[in-house]
Amino acid sequence: MKRGLIPLGIFVVLLVFLAIGLTRDPHEIPSPLIGKPAPTFSAPVLGKPGERVSNKDMLGKVWLLNTWASWCVACRQEHPLLVEFVKTNPLPIIGLDYKDKEADGMNWLARYGDPYSKAIADTDGRIGIDFGVYGVPESFLIDKAGIIRYKQIGPFTEEALRDKLVPLIKELNQ
C-alpha cells in the first residue's frame, strides 16, 4: 500500500507545478535588472563621429532604451509604432543598434524614420549583454535616478504602449 503512495505523491507534486505554470503568461519573463541601476555604458552616436552618449547623460530624465537592428524582422513590426509614439509622447528614446553595421543602421533609420533622440552603436553587443538582452527588440524604461523600472521583451504593440508604458511614464514623471 505504501509503495503506491510514493508515485501518487510525485504525480500530485508535478500536477501542482503544472497548474502553477499554466497560470503564468509565457511572454512575461521577469528581469533581474528591474529595480536596479541601469548598466553603465558610453557608446558612439550613429552617423556622428566623435559624439558619444552614456547613461549618465540621461540622469534626471525618464527615458527608454530600445534595442533594435536592421537585420531584425520583429523590429520592422515595432518601428512604425515608435515613430508614431514619439509624436505624441515626449519621451527621450535612445536607440541601441545591436550587433549591426553602422551603415546598415543609418540606412534603416533613413528608410523607416527615426524615433530616437539618439541612436547609438553597439557593434559588438557588449552593452546589450550588460542589459541582459537575448533578442531584439527589447526595451528598458529607466527612471530619473537611472533605475530600470520596466522591460519590454519583444516588439511593443499599441496595447503595450498605451496600457503599460504610458501609465508608467506618467507615474515616473510625477
Side-chain angles (χ1 to χ4, degrees), residues 19-115:
I20 290 170
L22 290 174
T23 63
R24 302 201 173 180
D25 184 352
H27 295 99
E28 292 198 17
I29 302 169
S31 171
L33 294 178
I34 302 296
K36 295 184 178 170
T40 302
F41 70 85
S42 176
V45 176
L46 288 181
K48 297 187 177 176
E51 188 175 339
R52 299 184 72 82
V53 170
S54 76
N55 55 335
K56 290 180 183 173
D57 298 330
M58 302 307 291
L59 287 176
K61 302 173 188 168
V62 175
W63 60 286
L64 189 72
L65 179 75
N66 172 251
T67 61
W68 62 282
S70 65
W71 46 262
C72 166
V73 175
C75 298
R76 193 168 289 188
Q77 173 189 348
E78 178 186 64
H79 200 77
L81 291 173
L82 292 177
V83 169
E84 288 302 313
F85 180 77
V86 296
K87 290 178 182 175
T88 55
N89 294 280
L91 174 72
I93 302 176
I94 302 297
L96 182 69
D97 190 11
Y98 182 72
K99 293 185 175 180
D100 205 359
K101 294 177 184 170
E102 184 171 352
D104 293 343
M106 290 176 56
N107 287 338
W108 166 277
L109 295 176
R111 183 173 184 182
Y112 298 109
D114 187 353

Side-chain angles (χ1 to χ4, degrees), residues 140-151:
F140 301 85
L141 183 64
I142 301 168
D143 71 12
K144 294 175 183 177
I147 306 296
I148 296 174
R149 296 299 178 185
Y150 174 72
K151 179 179 181 181

